[in-house]
Amino acid sequence: MSVNARLCFSLLLLTLTPFSTYAQSCTFGAPFVGPAITESLNARSIYASKPDFSNPVSTPLAHALEKRFEETLQRTQASEASISLYSPEHGFWSNSRGNTAQSKPFWLASIGKLATAIVITQLIEEKQLLPDDTIDRWFPEIPQSDLITIDQLLRHTSGLHNFNHIDSVRNQREYKSPAYLLEKSVDQGLDFCPGTDWNYSNTGYLVLARIAEKLDEKTYANIVQDRIASPLNLSSFKVISQDSDSNTIVTPVTTSAPEFRNDIAGIHGAGSIVSTTNDAITFLSAYLRGQLISDSNIADSLQRLYPVFNSSAHYGRGVMVIHVPDPDHPTVWVGHSGGAPDGKALLMFDLTRKTYLALALNVQAPAEAIANAILKELD
């Protein structure tokens, strides 16, 4: 398999092969028997600096990056694309394709899970939650909810059935409320006993956002605004709701604006955030530099990393660690990837190059391979 092929994965798409429903009784604290947990990352290895958007890359490097970006986009059907990159050694660079790519935010898809994880961790730091709290006090209707913990939801080990696995849900191109998505997931039962295995679950992050709403007594959109976007002055970083103006976000090639808005609004804490790539980099930088949660919780998020299916990625507590399988330029990325048939996004910090990169496209395309090609121009 080629490097590019191995780099190309989309979390929302990789979860379309369902686990069988687990109907047996479970016990609290049952041992993990899933794929071997062999990965961890020392948070001290991350020396992330604050992006300086006023310091551009050199003109020759800008031309090289632009040429490479255009070459990689020609292999996709993207009509709108945006990329932002910051390296303390080389400076800042951004580029876009399309008439609206520079002014309108893109759907970040599953990258939004990092925001949900940050909000939940803030609530933990405020003593409103504990990682080992079970969710039965909020969601007694969920099977084995007295065994499912906050930490399991964050790490995708809860066993909650992913609503993306349900054909009747996946094929509806219309607004589906969080309550409806949760109900459909609950109807499927658990995939496995809580804590015993790993399976990417959008439902788990929807539940986390609902819990945050109950504790903060605000909508998820207002929580993200108050806890993340406003403190960091991120004007484009927003949660899409049914009431959002569909013309204010980049629309996928294959979907109308209202249809797209309605389709992503209901997924809630699982990935309903939009942003420009510049604001996305600022968001990741603030997370890695301890502006949003404590250094100790960043370290905890990077421990007990679970293999993401057969890809080169591993999953912590709302964050991904991607080992780039490039024999000539091996490196590690920390951040999150996201995508679906309507779009693809990638937000990461390259540990070797100490470089941030955010990329968004309005089609499903190999963002990881595009990013890797762009980053090679820095070597």
Side-chain angles (χ1 to χ4, degrees):
M1 181 181 293
S2 69
V3 169
N4 283 359
R6 282 180 286 165
L7 279 168
C8 302
F9 58 88
S10 166
L11 290 181
L12 286 176
L13 293 178
L14 280 170
T15 57
L16 297 183
T17 303
F19 278 46
S20 60
T21 300
Y22 197 94
Q24 300 179 27
S25 61
C26 303
T27 58
F28 187 81
F32 183 81
V33 295
I37 307 171
T38 58
E39 293 293 327
S40 63
L41 183 67
N42 185 346
R44 292 185 177 181
S45 66
I46 304 174
Y47 297 104
S49 58
K50 183 178 180 180
D52 181 1
F53 297 128
S54 67
N55 177 30
V57 301
S58 67
T59 300
L61 179 56
H63 289 161
L65 292 169
E66 290 165 9
K67 179 180 178 182
R68 181 64 64 190
F69 187 47
E70 184 57 35
E71 287 174 352
T72 55
L73 285 182
Q74 286 176 359
R75 303 169 192 171
T76 77
Q77 296 181 349
S79 61
E80 305 274 355
S82 180
I83 188 170
S84 294
L85 175 153
Y86 175 73
S87 160
E89 177 183 356
H90 299 285
F92 170 70
W93 171 78
S94 66
N95 209 317
S96 63
R97 166 188 281 188
N99 295 325
T100 64
Q102 290 182 321
S103 59
K104 289 185 179 181
F106 282 75
W107 180 40
L108 295 185
S110 280
I111 294 171
K113 289 182 175 66
L114 179 56
T116 301
I118 288 169
V119 166
I120 293 296
T121 303
Q122 289 176 343
L123 290 167
I124 291 172
E125 292 179 348
E126 294 164 7
K127 310 299 183 185
Q128 296 194 60
L129 280 176
L130 292 173
D132 290 334
D133 280 346
T134 55
I135 66 172
D136 49 311
R137 84 186 211 216
W138 300 288
F139 296 100
E141 73 274 18
I142 292 179
Q144 313 284 349
S145 60
D146 59 334
L147 306 179
I148 297 173
T149 69
I150 296 296
D151 192 63
Q152 289 168 355
L153 293 174
L154 288 166
R155 297 182 185 274
H156 297 297
T157 60
S158 69
L160 281 179
H161 194 76
N162 190 343
F163 56 72
N164 267 39
H165 289 168
I166 306 169
D167 289 342
S168 61
V169 170
R170 194 169 62 248
N171 296 332
Q172 289 181 48
R173 299 311 306 266
E174 59 190 35
Y175 177 71
K176 300 172 284 289
S177 71
Y180 172 82
L181 293 173
L182 180 57
E183 178 185 359
K184 288 296 184 180
S185 177
V186 167
D187 288 345
Q188 302 298 312
L190 295 183
D191 291 334
F192 48 81
C193 281
T196 65
D197 209 336
W198 189 94
N199 189 30
Y200 193 83
S201 176
N202 291 297
T203 307
Y205 271 75
L206 185 153
V207 169
L208 287 168
R210 294 284 300 278
I211 290 172
E213 288 181 324
K214 293 174 187 292
L215 292 174
D216 262 4
E217 298 182 341
K218 299 176 183 177
T219 64
Y220 177 64
N222 285 337
I223 291 171
V224 170
Q225 182 66 39
D226 293 344
R227 288 182 172 272
I228 297 175
S230 290
L232 299 178
N233 295 315
L234 306 180
S235 60
S236 70
F237 197 91
K238 299 180 183 299
V239 174
I240 290 298
S241 69
Q242 220 182 348
D243 298 326
S244 300
D245 184 349
S246 58
N247 293 315
T248 62
I249 58 176
V250 173
T251 302
V253 170
T254 57
T255 315
S256 70
E259 183 182 44
F260 177 56
R261 174 203 60 199
N262 291 340
D263 200 33
I264 68 174
I267 62 178
H268 213 43
S272 58
I273 289 176
V274 299
S275 175
T276 61
T277 52
N278 280 10
D279 277 357
I281 282 181
T282 301
F283 162 66
L284 180 61
S285 165
Y287 165 71
L288 292 177
R289 294 185 300 110
Q291 283 186 266
L292 295 171
I293 62 174
S294 68
D295 290 344
S296 61
N297 273 315
I298 295 171
D300 287 345
S301 297
L302 296 168
Q303 301 303 306
R304 287 165 43 211
L305 300 176
Y306 297 84
V308 178
F309 308 104
N310 295 317
S311 74
S312 58
H314 290 77
Y315 208 96
R317 199 166 66 190
V319 64
M320 292 173 58
V321 176
I322 304 173
H323 291 261
V324 180
D326 189 321
D328 298 323
H329 300 270
T331 187
V332 178
W333 298 343
V334 179
H336 214 294
S337 174
D342 286 329
K344 189 73 175 73
L346 175 68
L347 177 62
M348 44 68 68
F349 179 73
D350 186 312
L351 295 189
T352 302
R353 301 177 176 94
K354 308 302 179 188
T355 297
Y356 296 98
L357 186 143
L359 172 65
L361 307 101
N362 69 338
V363 294
Q364 174 56 226
E368 290 80 11
I370 294 172
N372 191 48
I374 294 292
L375 288 167
K376 285 183 177 182
E377 295 295 328
L378 303 182
D379 299 332

